[in-house]
Amino acid sequence: MLLPLTAVSQQQQKKNGNFHLQMRRASSPVKIDGVIDEQAWKDAGITTGFHMVLPMDTSAARLRTDVRMTYDQQYIYLLVENYTEGDGPYMVESLRRDFAFLKNDNFLLFMDPFDDQTNGFSFGANAAGAQWDGLMYDGGKVDLSWDNKWTSVVKNYPDKWVFEAAIPFKTIRYKKGITTWGINFSRNDLKSTEKSAWAPVPRQFATASLAYTGNLDWDAPPPDAGPNISLIPYLLGGISKDYEKGAPAKYRRDAGLDAKVAVTSSLNLDLTVNPDFSQVDVDKQVTNLDRFELFFPERRQFFLENGDQMSNFGYANIRPFFSRRIGLGVPIHFGARLSGKLNKNWRLGVMNMQTGRQEESGLPAQNFTVAALQRRVFSRSNLGFIFINKESLNYDPSRVTDKTVYSRYNRNMGLEYNLASSNNFWTGKALLLKSYSPGKSGHDFVHAANLQYTSKVWNISWQHEYVGRNYNAEVGYVPRQGYIKLMPQVTRLFFPLSGAVLSHGPQVTATYITDEKFSRTDNETMLNYGIVFRKRNTLNIWASDTYIRLLQPFDPTNTRKDSMLTGSEHSWRTVGADYVSRPQSLFTYSLSARYGGYYGGGKRLMTNTELGYRFQPYVSIALSANYNHIQLPQPWGTNSFWLVGPRLDVTMTNTLFFTGFMQYNEQQKNINLNTRFQWRYRPASDLFIVYTDNYLPEPFYVRNRALVLKLVYWFNI
């Protein structure tokens, strides 16, 4: 078959443009049961012959995997036969949705409906039937917070496990009329320690990399999804009591609504009124020995879904937009977000949120607006623009107790160029930001850039940052201002032809930070030697040399004992090691330790342990334990902190879950208990029962506790 010239040129640009799977309309109805007895599957196009990615990417996969796809007016159907070898059970964590890829026997589909090698969707399951779904962005990352309606079944046979799924056209976004989509399939088998992909992917990249997709060729343009409006209301009831303040119990009755409206087949409008996030997982606490604000990731689904264009603008420590700043201790009244693809080259994201007033601190009601526009350039790179505005309504400065955080307004504008070569070997970013705040001008911009080269044996990167002392991102995460940072890194890998070691090699990282006058404030050089074993366990041994000049008073124990003086200089050396066990074992563990100097000529010992055991697929038990022992001159003396967190996950079925998580934080003198029961009584519709407790450990005393019952129902119009 002759292809149009434009299609030929696009496929020639793709590394795996010669891989094709034919997509034909189903010749009979399809029942999702894991049994291959319909005529539609006998007539469907089939592909096999996967390629090994790990442990080596130079041969065909040992395990056979057969994939079929078909469709009708409403659904895309997928059927996969995952053949196995040897005795023993499949290796899975649990029946929980969105499992960890490396700890499960699983099959994943990566779909690029625009064939732009940048954005898409992922669906899959582990060998026990737990579902996986997520939005794809940045050419190979998957946001698993995305949760939508689709159905699947996994059926086990003596020599294989079969995964069958039906994905509604209403669930995904795609451009009408495009008859070639990018697609790839990935399989992970822990018993054989083999990871494979249909279209071959170099081992240094994730199999999710959209630069290496093949082609899904439709026999006709995909059907129009038609009207696509989803309403997701919730009802909530709860009770809470604050024992520390001696306040009477508070009863809560609430309701709210989310809505999803498909403006076009590739552009979606999300609306929320009086949202509630009481069912969200609690943060995993850390012992805080840092001079700057700690980062805790966003967990609220409304902000995460399709939000990468806004939340990933910048770098890990230079985020002009960080959604956790919205609704911080205040109610969110309503919000809207328009996001998606305008066409193959343009992508849009616009969000507006309105919060209420907080009487205790005098914080006024606030409005947040974020707009992001992205233009694809070259084969896989893009140019992005972002605008962020936080406006305080009816602002009265005499009533606000913390004017450094809550000003009348704060605005940010930025440009970003993201580089991604066609083969993904070269990646990078260049960033320019400027802030606007009352009374702050000059030194209020950011420039940063990085460039990285990744091959099978070399990983070489350079990054530099400048953040002005008056740069202000009140809706962002920028923990440090007024600095210049340089950070080169080089990694070299070696691959033995045989033996227990799969790869090993050194890594050198240097971090050099000055103030705006180029006077050194921080310096760290680290040498790491990493070893990856064929069974996928890993070992890293490292040493570092550190220098810090304090720019403000700092308590090195964060216990409010006393502070070291501004301008004092500190230097020390540290050694450490990290080991992660084989993921295919029922009992898994990771061990970390570091020992060396600390501020003020002190000493610090840190150990961290993560233990896990699974009674697959129903019960998973985990325990994390972190210990810090710090020796300092007076007035701090000797300080020891334990942070212990046992966790229990019970997945009775793939729709019935229970989680219990306790955290004992000796530094913060707090014990927190969070339990959550979830029943997914129909696709994307849930009943949650959440119970939380906080205790003072010495003397043991209840601080506060709360119980919430929340019912969510998803239905389509």
Side-chain angles (χ1 to χ4, degrees), residues 235-451:
L235 295 173
L236 181 146
I239 181 173
S240 62
K241 184 174 175 60
D242 191 327
Y243 290 86
E244 277 193 309
K245 296 182 178 179
K250 292 183 179 180
Y251 294 89
R252 184 181 174 195
R253 294 172 292 275
D254 218 339
L257 175 69
D258 286 350
K260 296 178 177 292
V261 181
V263 179
T264 69
S265 63
S266 57
L267 194 63
N268 198 67
L269 175 64
D270 290 278
L271 304 170
T272 187
V273 178
N274 195 32
D276 170 82
F277 307 104
S278 57
Q279 83 281 5
V280 173
D281 275 342
V282 297
D283 291 319
K284 186 176 180 179
Q285 299 179 32
V286 296
T287 300
N288 183 8
L289 296 173
D290 201 272
R291 293 174 291 154
F292 305 102
E293 178 189 15
L294 297 179
F295 178 83
F296 291 95
E298 175 65 89
R299 298 181 182 275
R300 298 171 294 179
Q301 190 169 345
F302 179 85
F303 294 101
L304 288 168
E305 288 187 4
N306 214 20
D308 64 277
Q309 193 177 358
M310 303 172 186
S311 60
N312 290 319
F313 203 98
Y315 293 94
N317 288 321
I318 306 177
R319 296 286 186 208
F321 175 69
F322 179 42
S323 56
R324 282 188 72 138
R325 304 294 189 202
I326 300 176
L328 187 65
V330 296
I332 297 175
H333 289 330
F334 56 83
R337 182 181 62 239
L338 180 67
S339 60
K341 300 277 283 190
L342 300 176
N343 55 41
K344 186 172 183 177
N345 292 322
W346 287 96
R347 190 172 178 226
L348 174 70
V350 180
M351 183 172 70
N352 185 271
M353 306 293 293
Q354 178 67 48
T355 64
R357 180 183 182 85
Q358 188 182 64
E359 294 296 337
E360 292 182 3
S361 66
L363 175 65
Q366 294 182 319
N367 183 268
F368 300 84
T369 299
V370 188
L373 186 64
Q374 196 175 81
R375 174 65 160 90
R376 181 190 180 199
V377 294
F378 307 119
S379 60
R380 299 182 58 244
S381 304
N382 63 70
L383 183 66
F385 167 80
I386 196 168
F387 171 75
I388 304 150
N389 182 62
K390 188 218 73 176
E391 197 83 23
S392 297
L393 308 181
N394 301 316
Y395 179 74
D396 182 358
S398 65
R399 291 177 56 86
V400 179
T401 58
D402 192 348
K403 301 180 181 61
T404 62
V405 178
Y406 305 118
S407 57
R408 182 169 63 86
Y409 69 85
N410 176 247
R411 299 180 185 116
N412 267 256
M413 296 178 65
L415 286 172
E416 179 178 270
Y417 173 67
N418 289 284
L419 167 69
S421 64
S422 59
N423 61 6
N424 216 42
F425 277 50
W426 289 95
T427 56
K429 176 181 290 192
L431 173 71
L432 184 64
L433 296 169
K434 185 174 181 0
S435 66
Y436 303 85
S437 299
K440 289 188 177 183
S441 62
H443 300 276
D444 54 1
F445 69 94
V446 169
H447 165 69
N450 80 291
L451 183 64

Side-chain angles (χ1 to χ4, degrees), residues 52-63:
M52 188 185 296
V53 178
L54 288 175
M56 299 301 291
D57 60 0
T58 55
S59 66
R62 298 202 319 270
L63 297 181

Side-chain angles (χ1 to χ4, degrees), residues 572-603:
W572 62 83
R573 292 186 174 92
T574 309
V575 294
D578 309 284
Y579 179 79
V580 179
S581 69
R582 301 186 304 169
Q584 59 266 43
S585 301
L586 294 178
F587 173 65
T588 59
Y589 59 93
S590 65
L591 306 171
S592 300
R594 58 172 289 169
Y595 178 76
Y598 197 52
Y599 292 92
K603 297 290 184 182

